[in-house]
Amino acid sequence: VETAQAELDALAGLRRGRLRLGLIQTSGGGLDLAAVLGDFHRRFGEIEFEVTSEASAGMVAAVGAGTLDLAIVGLSPDDVPPGLERRLLSQDPLVAVVAPRHPLAGLAALEAAELAGPGAFIHFRRGSGIRRYVDAAFDRAGVAVPGGFEVSQVHDMIRLAAQGVGATIVPRSAATWLYPPGPGREDFRVRSE
């Protein structure tokens, strides 16, 4: 959060105008973008925000083309093209989410090949950082990317998995934000990848 605030403070010389931001749906670990943007707005109320949310690769391309001023994306540093400055703000591990009745629910840890097995797999949309990492994990395991379907909202992926539609992989912060751990939260299981 402090790093994100410092980056926005660097724009403090701008007193009026519009800041075009690209934000991914999930923002990893303890990074509370709403709090950072709220604080920035209180300090620099004359600056308007124009916020876009789309796949990370598209937002990186938009920064390169000058149609976004900055973007918070879910990509590794190697995925950011030369000529763009990047800063690591947060890291968020990916976890598998399945319903309690799913055949994989009782396992302490999962392999990519197991997720490619029984039932549907709920994919995040193409072009996203999550999709790239998940597809790469199946590739490394020598397993064909499982069939299933694509969803464009992370919270929908988690809710569908909780309903027993299939397994999915999402950032841990998204799973625990939507379904905080604790007593009475037995409608889904999160397993570390």
Side-chain angles (χ1 to χ4, degrees), residues 24-34 72 89-92 171 173-174:
I24 57 173
Q25 290 181 42
T26 60
S27 56
L31 182 59
D32 185 351
L33 287 175
I72 308 292
L89 299 179
S90 174
Q91 292 183 353
D92 196 4
S173 64

Side-chain angles (χ1 to χ4, degrees), residues 63-180:
V63 170
T67 57
L68 286 178
D69 297 312
L70 75 106
I72 308 292
V73 299
L75 297 173
S76 75
D78 297 336
D79 293 331
V80 177
L84 294 180
E85 187 173 334
R86 59 176 164 69
R87 300 245 191 271
L88 178 63
L89 299 179
S90 174
Q91 292 183 353
D92 196 4
L94 296 177
V95 295
V97 179
V98 297
R101 297 164 308 284
H102 192 280
L104 301 175
L107 300 177
L110 300 173
E111 299 291 328
E114 293 171 301
L115 285 169
F121 190 82
I122 305 162
H123 294 279
F124 197 56
R125 66 183 170 194
R126 294 179 197 281
S128 69
I130 295 170
R131 179 67 181 263
R132 291 169 76 170
Y133 295 134
V134 170
D135 286 354
F138 287 120
D139 258 1
R140 283 191 306 277
V143 177
V145 175
F149 51 95
E150 271 186 27
V151 177
S152 62
Q153 298 291 319
V154 171
H155 68 273
D156 289 338
M157 296 169 68
I158 296 166
R159 294 181 70 205
L160 287 167
Q163 291 298 314
V165 172
T168 194
I169 296 177
V170 298
R172 183 184 343 198
S173 64
T176 55
W177 178 80
L178 188 58
Y179 288 101

Side-chain angles (χ1 to χ4, degrees), residues 2-26:
E2 290 173 3
T3 304
Q5 185 63 57
E7 292 298 315
L8 287 172
D9 286 347
L11 299 170
L14 178 66
R15 297 290 178 195
R16 293 178 187 269
R18 180 173 302 226
L19 183 58
R20 300 165 303 168
L21 301 170
L23 303 178
I24 57 173
Q25 290 181 42
T26 60

